[in-house]
Amino acid sequence: MSTWRHAGMGELLMKEGEAGDFFCILAEGQVKVTKKGKLLNLLRAGEPFGEMAYLSKGEQLRGADVSVVHEANIISVPTLKLMQASDGCQHKFDRAFMEILVERLSMANLRLSGV
């Protein structure tokens, strides 16, 4: 269901506004997520990115750029393949994504509140 690949430092993996027909899990390395040039997050091994295109209804466009900070190994999962997986498999991905989104929302709230 997935493919693995190596990405070099500085490589642009996802571009804001592009179609989002896959999501990734960072197996090794570090990537940064930016929107209009502003840093939103630094991601490390084990973290997904591009999952919003899978989770959103309707048109699936990227909401941010993702680029490699340190050489990385990336696992790419086409959203269509996940949608064809068993209900149990989809449920496990959905649950993991919800936990990550709640954590990221909490961090964003702390940053915005200045706490």
Side-chain angles (χ1 to χ4, degrees):
M1 171 166 44
S2 65
T3 58
W4 285 65
R5 74 177 191 91
H6 181 79
M9 189 167 84
E11 185 176 335
L12 185 63
L13 302 171
M14 295 179 180
K15 184 165 178 56
E16 184 176 355
E18 285 183 339
D21 58 353
F22 67 96
F23 65 90
C24 297
I25 300 167
L26 185 58
E28 186 177 16
Q30 187 176 41
V31 299
K32 67 179 178 178
V33 182
T34 57
K35 187 167 184 80
K36 299 187 189 320
K38 295 192 181 204
L39 181 66
L40 297 178
N41 208 349
L42 288 172
L43 304 178
R44 291 184 170 75
E47 295 190 81
F49 55 95
E51 74 280 358
M52 296 300 287
Y54 163 71
L55 294 171
S56 65
K57 300 285 184 199
E59 194 173 11
Q60 300 170 337
L61 298 178
R62 301 282 182 216
D65 294 339
V66 179
S67 57
V68 179
V69 176
H70 297 290
E71 288 197 13
N73 288 316
I74 313 272
I75 303 166
S76 295
V77 181
T79 55
L80 185 59
K81 292 272 189 185
L82 183 55
M83 287 183 221
Q84 294 170 345
S86 70
D87 289 343
C89 179
Q90 289 181 49
H91 175 72
K92 288 182 187 245
F93 269 97
D94 292 349
R95 181 73 182 159
F97 287 150
M98 283 191 307
E99 290 173 9
I100 290 164
L101 292 174
V102 166
E103 182 180 317
R104 289 178 182 171
L105 180 59
S106 294
M107 287 187 338
N109 284 339
L110 286 175
R111 284 188 204 128
L112 289 172
S113 67
V115 175

